[in-house]
Amino acid sequence: MVLLCVVCHVFVLVLCLSSAEDFDWTKNSHSSFYYGTFPAGFSWGAGSSAYQTEGAWDKDGKGLSIWDVFSHKKGKIQQNDTGDSSCEGYHKVKDDVSLMKELKLNHYRFSISWPRLIPTGIKSDHINEKGIQYYDELINHLLESKITPIVTLYHWDLPQVLQEKYGGWQNISMVNHFNEFASLCFEKFGNRVKYWNTFNNPWSVAVEGYETGEHAPGVRLRGTGAYRAAHHIIKAHAKVWHTYDTQWRGKQKGLVGISLSGDWGEPVDISNQKDIEAAERYVQFYLGWFATPIFHGDYPQVMKDFIGRKSNQQGLGTSRLPTFSPQEKSYIKGTCDFLGLGHFTTRYITQKNNPSVRSSSSYFTDRDLAELVDPRWPDPGSEWLYSVPWGFRRLLNFVKSQYGNPMIYVTENGVSEKMLCTELCDDWRIQYYKDYINEMLKAIKDGVNVKGYTAWSLLDKFEWDEGYSERFGLYYVDFRNKNKPRYPKASVQFYKRVISSNGFPNQREVENWRRKAVETCSSSNQLLAAEEQRSSAANILRLIHDPLTSHMEMVTEIVVPTVCTLSILLSAVFLMFLLRRRN
Ligand code: NOJ
């Protein structure tokens, strides 16, 4: 009996070890472009999220979300933008599905707005039939067009009532409320939806929502808020996975995963052990924070060590990182049928000791590291987003080695441009997609189990605290026009070719695609420019009728030129006077 136990124990140990191999930090080969195709059946898609695109924030019985409330507070969002109407996606299901058909997408990733379905977030209060109808319509249109829906249950828009009543993700009661919402979605849509992401990028929810407060609900609980929110999110994810597994999987035969985000962290010096450890900490505090409990049952050891030690030095009785009970660990472990992965950029990482002062404790200082960037990395849009394609391959290989080579769907990857840039010929975006998709292809050759790729995003949209100032879309959206018309950028043509060839057949062809894409976009560019001129002319006309702006125009058009002319005349008279005196 004892012998049997020992054998089993060794067997389990070997299994655990074999699912978390060592990642080789010391090898980073930047190989040249790889021409080749993806495995047959590889799924190509594009994505969006409810609050970022739907608009219709108060239509048809929808309840308020924390983003509705947050964006209406002055000073929280660039230019005080809101998602009130955004792309009007709620009213443009047919149009948008046509764009997806044009791209020949295999899947479309979108999220369901919890308060659109359950206005207060509490299922027993009220279910909004109109909300159900909207998602029904979207799903049906997608399926009629042979586009697989990949649905996210939580892309950050918590019902406001749950925030006000319970403190949102700071409170354990969210686990049950979220589970009820998820069950409703399985019940209503699960006959047609087979891919579910419980959460999108919970890192952001925890850190930016409850630690720094840059995102809704804008709570600032440094050093504790993010860890507590994440703890409840992980439990909620596990509960929903179990609900699906026990109550729906038999009938519906779908998959439930989670979409995690991770920037890659590369050691500044790959021959320096301290840098390697710091880079690994960076990745563990980012992706590993959520992935390790879900695949292995508990937080990464390095998080437990660092946060535990610092909490101790700060005189706290327990760690600021909450703990899972043994029952919780086994309940959470393995609750992932596929891993959704969102990835945009990379940082160089080096070791940096932060003093353990209680007053300045935070998620960021807990990690004892510094982030650096190479000034040569292109950064066309968002200030945090540098294009570093090789980091993507590194991250994918890291996932393979750490979590037992899970099935991966890339749920977000893309690049933005700055607001004032109404350029449809987005050559730099083509370059970004080309290189990142190619690194993913190399990762597949390395043996990483990637099944699908989602370009982020289908449309320009509300970019959270950046408002509309950063555009990620394959399609340009004219937000100044009430109808929110969409225009294809050059990257649409390029991505379409990648999809139809299932990869990169050969150099000549790929370069041709790029050339053609840039050629065709110039006519759309002209169209857009003409349209914009028309709308700015209309704006000027509108302004002339506005008394305040007419007054300002009078200042700029009459007063300023008059003052200028007078000063020139006076200077001339003064000059003549001086010349006369000299004579
Ligand atoms: C990740 C978020 O999930 C998504 O909503 C956002 O648009 C992208 N990051 C780009 O910032």
Side-chain angles (χ1 to χ4, degrees):
M1 188 61 192
V2 177
L3 189 69
L4 191 70
C5 282
V6 172
V7 172
C8 288
H9 188 76
V10 171
F11 182 66
V12 169
L13 213 74
V14 169
L15 269 185
C16 289
L17 288 178
S18 65
S19 63
E21 294 161 20
D22 274 348
F23 176 78
D24 190 352
W25 289 91
T26 61
K27 252 199 256 153
N28 186 5
S29 65
H30 298 191
S31 58
S32 54
F33 198 86
Y34 178 85
Y35 289 94
T37 50
F38 283 80
F42 189 83
S43 189
W44 297 99
S48 74
S49 83
Y51 187 72
Q52 291 182 281
T53 48
E54 281 177 8
W57 71 292
D58 59 350
K59 295 277 175 337
D60 291 347
K62 176 183 165 292
L64 288 181
S65 81
I66 52 174
W67 272 96
D68 292 314
V69 173
F70 188 72
S71 67
H72 283 146
K73 290 186 184 147
K74 292 279 167 272
K76 299 291 182 193
I77 314 287
Q78 282 268 340
Q79 319 258 10
N80 291 320
D81 285 338
T82 72
D84 291 2
S85 60
S86 187
C87 309
E88 294 287 12
Y90 185 73
H91 303 291
K92 285 177 173 280
V93 171
K94 268 197 177 162
D95 297 355
D96 288 343
V97 175
S98 302
L99 302 181
M100 297 173 214
K101 274 163 73 179
E102 164 66 22
L103 269 164
K104 302 240 165 30
L105 295 187
N106 305 116
H107 70 256
Y108 178 54
R109 176 185 177 224
F110 64 93
S111 77
I112 293 182
S113 154
W114 183 351
R116 197 178 289 290
L117 245 52
I118 305 176
T120 62
I122 301 164
K123 192 171 165 190
S124 54
D125 283 352
H126 172 61
I127 294 173
N128 180 28
E129 279 308 319
K130 285 258 173 73
I132 294 184
Q133 276 166 28
Y134 164 68
Y135 293 108
D136 262 337
E137 188 195 343
L138 173 58
I139 292 165
N140 291 343
H141 270 94
L142 289 171
L143 292 176
E144 279 159 24
S145 310
K146 306 214 165 14
I147 299 170
T148 305
I150 297 190
V151 176
T152 304
L153 292 168
Y154 188 83
H155 203 126
W156 307 359
D157 43 0
L158 185 78
Q160 174 67 12
V161 171
L162 294 180
Q163 184 60 41
E164 278 170 18
K165 240 180 159 166
Y166 304 107
W169 291 107
Q170 290 301 296
N171 192 303
I172 187 72
S173 66
M174 287 310 98
V175 175
N176 283 338
H177 291 303
F178 182 62
N179 187 51
E180 299 229 310
F181 162 60
S183 305
L184 177 69
C185 294
F186 298 148
E187 179 196 329
K188 300 288 178 189
F189 314 121
N191 56 344
R192 288 154 294 155
V193 173
K194 304 298 166 191
Y195 293 87
W196 298 96
N197 282 294
T198 52
F199 287 88
N200 172 74
N201 190 351
W203 182 93
S204 233
V205 177
V207 173
E208 293 170 304
Y210 294 90
E211 169 104 12
T212 66
E214 293 155 278
H215 280 189
V219 174
R220 290 197 182 113
L221 293 167
R222 291 197 193 264
T224 56
Y227 298 133
R228 194 174 308 122
H231 202 64
H232 297 148
I233 289 174
I234 293 166
K235 288 185 181 184
H237 159 80
K239 178 143 193 168
V240 167
W241 185 89
H242 281 286
T243 298
Y244 190 81
D245 200 47
T246 53
Q247 295 171 29
W248 304 96
R249 195 192 295 282
K251 274 177 277 173
Q252 300 186 345
K253 312 227 176 315
L255 300 173
V256 177
I258 183 166
S259 173
L260 302 180
S261 270
D263 291 353
W264 178 244
E266 182 71 12
V268 166
D269 174 1
I270 49 173
S271 63
N272 177 339
Q273 190 54 27
K274 287 266 172 251
D275 279 0
I276 291 182
E277 283 166 17
E280 171 152 18
R281 266 199 314 281
Y282 177 82
V283 179
Q284 294 292 7
F285 267 75
Y286 209 135
L287 177 74
W289 183 7
F290 299 91
T292 317
I294 288 168
F295 286 100
H296 300 307
D298 201 359
Y299 290 118
Q301 193 58 43
V302 74
M303 285 187 80
K304 295 198 284 186
D305 291 347
F306 269 63
I307 305 162
R309 181 170 43 79
K310 292 200 176 225
S311 306
N312 194 12
Q313 287 165 357
Q314 290 157 353
L316 299 168
T318 51
S319 175
R320 284 180 280 105
L321 182 71
T323 50
F324 294 118
S325 71
Q327 291 81 353
E328 286 168 342
K329 287 181 193 170
S330 55
Y331 184 75
I332 293 165
K333 183 176 170 173
T335 53
C336 204
D337 303 323
F338 66 88
L339 176 66
L341 194 63
H343 172 74
F344 292 88
T345 195
T346 285
R347 294 287 181 271
Y348 277 123
I349 305 294
T350 189
Q351 153 80 26
K352 179 184 164 229
N353 277 338
N354 290 311
S356 303
V357 188
R358 195 164 170 178
S359 57
S360 68
S361 76
S362 82
Y363 161 85
F364 294 99
T365 54
D366 281 343
R367 303 174 305 171
D368 276 351
L369 55 85
E371 300 178 35
L372 306 166
V373 295
D374 183 333
R376 287 165 303 180
W377 289 344
D379 63 332
S382 315
E383 68 174 34
W384 54 271
L385 208 174
Y386 294 84
S387 172
V388 193
W390 53 260
F392 193 19
R393 182 180 182 186
R394 297 278 275 164
L395 179 70
L396 289 166
N397 272 286
F398 180 85
V399 168
K400 170 177 175 257
S401 71
Q402 297 287 298
Y403 312 119
N405 203 10
M407 171 153 86
I408 298 174
Y409 279 84
V410 174
T411 39
E412 284 184 22
N413 176 241
V415 66
S416 56
E417 72 239 25
K418 303 248 182 331
M419 165 180 61
L420 293 172
C421 181
T422 49
E423 177 60 90
L424 298 178
C425 300
D426 54 348
D427 201 28
W428 70 92
R429 182 174 284 107
I430 293 181
Q431 187 70 40
Y432 180 99
Y433 276 130
K434 179 174 169 244
D435 292 341
Y436 269 76
I437 293 174
N438 199 248
E439 292 298 318
M440 176 174 66
L441 179 57
K442 290 179 193 167
I444 292 176
K445 300 279 166 213
D446 299 335
V448 184
N449 190 12
V450 189
K451 295 288 188 197
Y453 173 86
T454 314
W456 192 260
S457 46
L458 181 72
L459 306 175
D460 290 339
K461 57 189 173 352
F462 180 82
E463 187 49 40
W464 309 113
D465 52 326
E466 301 298 338
Y468 297 97
S469 69
E470 291 174 11
R471 294 173 174 271
F472 274 86
L474 289 162
Y475 286 88
Y476 178 92
V477 177
D478 184 356
F479 293 108
R480 289 176 306 179
N481 183 326
K482 229 174 71 229
N483 297 322
K484 313 291 166 89
R486 285 84 158 119
Y487 299 85
K489 300 181 192 174
S491 45
V492 165
Q493 303 307 326
F494 184 80
Y495 188 40
K496 206 169 132 176
R497 303 283 181 176
V498 176
I499 296 175
S500 63
S501 306
N502 197 28
F504 308 99
N506 59 60
Q507 190 172 2
R508 200 172 42 83
E509 251 188 84
V510 175
E511 267 156 26
N512 241 347
W513 297 346
R514 193 176 172 160
R515 200 172 36 75
K516 282 204 186 127
V518 178
E519 265 167 31
T520 37
C521 75
S522 52
S523 54
S524 328
N525 233 0
Q526 280 164 14
L527 200 78
L528 174 63
E531 192 49 48
E532 287 196 331
Q533 259 177 16
R534 215 175 48 81
S535 66
S536 44
N539 277 343
I540 289 173
L541 279 178
R542 198 164 45 79
L543 292 180
I544 286 170
H545 293 119
D546 176 328
L548 178 66
T549 39
S550 319
H551 173 73
M552 282 165 57
E553 269 177 0
M554 190 195 70
V555 172
T556 48
E557 286 173 12
I558 302 170
V559 180
V560 175
T562 315
V563 170
C564 287
T565 323
L566 274 176
S567 354
I568 291 169
L569 276 174
L570 278 174
S571 331
V573 169
F574 185 59
L575 210 71
M576 274 167 63
F577 170 73
L578 280 182
L579 285 174
R580 278 225 176 141
R581 274 194 57 183
R582 279 183 77 193
N583 293 339

